[in-house]
C-alpha cells in the first residue's frame, strides 16, 4: 500500500500503511536500524510433534469457525500473491534475493501446495500437521538476532468527505502535481504545502489539486499516515483514495513527540490516547502535525480495496507489511503474536494467535527484520484494534521442503 504504516507508529514514532496507516502502517516509531549483517531469515527445525496443539505454530482456528471464519479470505490472498509472482517486478526481485534457496519458483510452488491444503482441510489440526510435515520454516532473526519481532497494525479508515470545500469540510487531500518528478530536493515540507493550521489554501503551491475535503484536520492527517481511506461523500455516494506519491522525508511519530513533551503518559501512548489529546487540545495540532515533514499525494480508487506495495489487494488479517529489502515479497508466512479482538460487551481483549499470512505490503517506517505491520481491515473497529496493537512475537516464512 506503500502506506506510511502507522498504528503504533503515530504513537511512539515507529510507524504504517498501524490507527495510524490504508494500504501501507505507523504509531510506535522505531529507532534507525543497524545495517543487516547476516541473512534476515534462518532455517529452523520445529519438528513434527508439538503439544498442546493449540499453542503450536500453524494452529489457525480462525479459518474453521462456523461463523466468521475467513478461509475464503486466505485463499483470495494466496491467489493475489500468485498473480504478483507472474509479474516482471517479481521476477526481477527474486533474481536478486539474497537467500539463494528462496526462489520465485519455490515460493510459487509453496503457495500452490498450501492453497490445496487450505481448501481441503477440515480441522485446524489437520492443516497444522500437513504444514509442519511438508514445509520448511525460515524464522526472521528479528532485531536482536534471537527472533524477536515487533508487531504493529494498520487499517483503512472510513471518513465523511466532500468533493467541494464548504464551511464544514475545509481540510483537503491532494492529487499528485503533474510536475512532481521535476521538483528539486529537498522537497517542500508539510508546513510549506498546507500551512501551520492545514488551511494554507489558495496560498499553497498545490492550489487546484484538491481532491476531497475533510471535516476534521486529524482525519486528513490520518489518511496521510494510513496511505488510503474509504470516503462517504456528502452527495450520498462512496469512493476511496490510495497512495500514489510522497515527498522525500522520513517518518516522524507525533505520539513520540507528545510523550517526550510530557503530554502523554506511557499508558496513553497509543492511537486512542493521541486522538483524545488532540480533541481536548486542538490548537496543539498546529505544533505537532507539521513536524512530520513528509506529504502524501493520492489518487481516487473508486471503492477498490487497499492495495499493497506489490500491487495486489490487501486482505484483512491475511496481509502483512515488512521491509521488502529483506523479506520475500508475496511469500507465505505464519505469525505468532498477541493481538486485540472483540470480547464480551465489545471490549477488546488480547489473544495470542498463530495466523497464516501473505507478505504483500511495506511502509516507510517498517525497517529491518524485526518489524511487521499487520493489516486489520476497514473502519472503526479495525482502527480501534490497530491503535492499541504493539506487541512482540515471531514470524516464520514457509517454503516447501527441497
Amino acid at each position: 500500500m506503500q502506506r506510511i504504516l502507522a498504528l503504533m507508529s503515530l504513537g511512539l514514532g515507529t510507524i504504517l500503511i498501524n490507527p495510524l496507516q490504508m494500504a501501507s502502517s505507523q504509531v510506535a516509531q522505531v529507532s534507525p536500524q543497524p545495517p543487516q549483517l547476516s541473512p534476515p531469515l534462518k532455517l529452523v527445525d520445529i519438528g513434527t510433534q508439538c503439544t498442546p496443539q493449540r499453542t503450536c505454530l500453524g494452529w489457525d482456528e480462525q479459518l474453521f469457525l462456523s461463523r466468521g471464519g475467513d478461509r475464503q479470505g486466505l485463499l483470495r490472498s494466496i491467489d493475489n500473491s500468485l498473480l504478483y509472482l507472474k509479474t516482471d517486478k517479481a521476477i526481477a526481485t527474486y533474481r536478486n534475493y539474497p537467500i539463494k534457496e528462496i526462489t520465485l519458483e519455490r515460493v510459487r510452488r509453496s503457495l500452490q501446495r498450501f492453497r490445496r491444503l487450505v481448501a481441503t482441510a477440515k480441522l485446524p489440526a489437520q492443516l497444522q500437521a500437513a504444514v509442519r510435515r511438508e514445509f520448511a520454516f525460515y524464522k526472521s532473526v528479528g532485531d536482536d538476532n534471537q527472533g524477536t519481532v515487533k508487531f504493529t497494525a494498520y487499517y483503512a479508515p472510513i471518513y465523511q468527505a466532500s468533493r467541494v470545500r464548504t464551511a464544514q469540510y475545509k481540510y483537503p487531500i491532494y492529487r499528485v502535481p503533474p510536475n512532481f518528478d521535476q521538483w528539486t530536493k529537498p522537497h517542500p515540507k508539510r508546513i510549506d504545502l498546507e500551512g501551520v493550521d492545514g488551511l494554507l489554501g489558495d496560498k499553497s503551491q498545490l492550489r487546484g489539486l484538491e481532491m476531497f475535503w475533510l471535516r476534521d484536520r486529524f482525519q486528513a492527517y490520518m489518511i496521510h499516515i494510513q496511505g488510503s481511506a474509504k470516503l462517504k461523500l456528502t452527495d450520498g455516494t462512496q469512493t476511496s483514495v490510495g497512495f500514489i506519491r510522497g515527498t522525500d522525508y522520513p517518518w516522524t511519530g507525533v505520539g513520540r513527540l507528545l510523550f517526550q513533551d510530557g503530554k502523554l503518559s506511557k499508558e496513553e501512548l497509543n492511537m486512542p490516547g493521541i486522538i483524545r489529546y488532540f480533541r481536548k487540545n486542538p490548537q496543539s495540532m498546529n505544533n505537532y502535525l507539521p513536524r512530520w515533514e513528509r506529504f502524501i499525494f493520492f489518487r481516487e480508487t473508486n471503492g477498490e480495496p487497499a492495495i499493497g506495495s506489490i500491487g495486489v489487494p490487501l486482505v484483512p488479517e491475511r496481509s502483512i507489511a515488512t521491509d521488502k529489502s529483506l523479506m520475500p515479497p508475496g511469500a507465505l508466512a505464519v505469525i505468532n503474536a498477541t493481538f486485540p479482538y472483540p470480547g464480551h460487551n465489545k471490549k477488546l481483549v488480547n489473544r495470542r494467535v498463530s495466523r497464516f499470512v501473505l507478505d504483500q505490503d511495506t511502509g516507510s517506517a517498517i525497517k529491518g527484520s524485526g518489524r511487521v505491520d499487520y493489516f486489520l481491515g476497514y473502519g472503526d473497529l479495525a482502527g480501534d484494534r490497530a491503535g492499541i496493537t504493539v506487541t512482540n512475537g515471531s514470524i516464520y516464512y514457509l517454503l516447501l521442503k527441497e
Side-chain angles (χ1 to χ4, degrees), residues 76-303:
R76 188 166 67 253
S77 193
I78 296 168
D79 289 341
N80 291 340
S81 279
L82 286 169
L83 286 174
Y84 160 73
L85 294 175
K86 296 179 181 179
T87 66
D88 292 340
K89 180 180 179 181
I91 294 169
T93 297
Y94 276 98
R95 186 178 295 129
N96 298 310
Y97 190 69
I99 303 176
K100 299 200 178 299
E101 67 265 32
I102 300 181
T103 64
L104 185 148
E105 178 59 20
R106 190 179 179 195
V107 172
R108 183 186 65 80
R109 288 190 296 104
S110 300
L111 291 181
Q112 290 174 333
R113 175 56 180 160
F114 181 71
R115 193 189 194 287
R116 288 193 291 272
L117 293 175
V118 172
T120 58
K122 305 299 183 184
L123 296 169
Q126 181 184 357
L127 178 61
Q128 180 190 50
V131 169
R132 295 173 70 90
R133 184 174 60 250
E134 297 186 31
F135 286 76
F137 285 64
Y138 287 79
K139 186 178 184 179
S140 170
V141 299
D143 286 334
D144 58 359
N145 209 39
Q146 301 298 315
T148 302
V149 172
K150 175 173 282 188
F151 286 83
T152 51
Y154 63 108
Y155 78 114
I158 301 174
Y159 293 139
Q160 299 284 336
S162 172
R163 287 190 184 273
V164 296
R165 180 175 181 172
T166 69
Q168 186 179 20
Y169 294 86
K170 57 184 179 181
Y171 296 102
I173 58 173
Y174 295 89
R175 61 179 59 88
V176 66
N179 64 342
F180 182 75
D181 288 334
Q182 282 73 55
W183 282 19
T184 58
K185 294 183 179 180
H187 286 151
K189 298 178 179 178
R190 175 176 295 274
I191 196 169
D192 302 320
L193 296 173
E194 68 177 13
V196 167
D197 59 359
L199 296 172
L200 192 58
D202 290 346
K203 297 180 181 179
S204 171
Q205 69 184 80
L206 301 178
R207 178 185 178 184
L209 297 174
E210 298 90 348
M211 295 179 63
F212 297 99
W213 307 81
L214 284 294
R215 292 182 296 185
D216 183 288
R217 183 184 182 187
F218 196 69
Q219 288 182 352
Y221 191 77
M222 283 291 293
I223 297 177
H224 281 237
I225 290 173
Q226 301 296 339
S228 61
K230 290 188 176 184
L231 302 177
K232 295 181 178 180
L233 302 180
T234 53
D235 62 6
T237 62
Q238 297 186 26
T239 189
S240 57
V241 294
F243 172 100
I244 185 166
R245 300 292 296 274
T247 56
D248 189 22
Y249 290 99
W251 166 248
T252 299
V254 66
R256 176 176 53 83
L257 299 176
L258 290 167
F259 176 73
Q260 290 175 346
D261 291 348
K263 307 297 184 182
L264 294 179
S265 67
K266 185 176 180 180
E267 293 69 31
E268 295 170 316
L269 192 50
N270 51 40
M271 189 47 61
I274 295 168
I275 292 173
R276 281 194 300 270
Y277 176 80
F278 284 133
R279 283 177 177 169
K280 292 180 180 178
N281 305 277
Q283 290 304 311
S284 291
M285 284 190 278
N286 293 351
N287 177 21
Y288 289 101
L289 300 196
R291 290 159 74 177
W292 181 36
E293 296 173 339
R294 192 178 193 210
F295 200 84
I296 306 302
F297 300 104
F298 299 91
R299 66 183 180 92
E300 186 170 359
T301 54
N302 302 307

Side-chain angles (χ1 to χ4, degrees), residues 377-394:
Y378 302 85
D380 292 342
L381 177 58
D384 291 343
R385 295 176 64 202
I388 60 172
T389 297
V390 183
T391 185
N392 287 337
S394 55

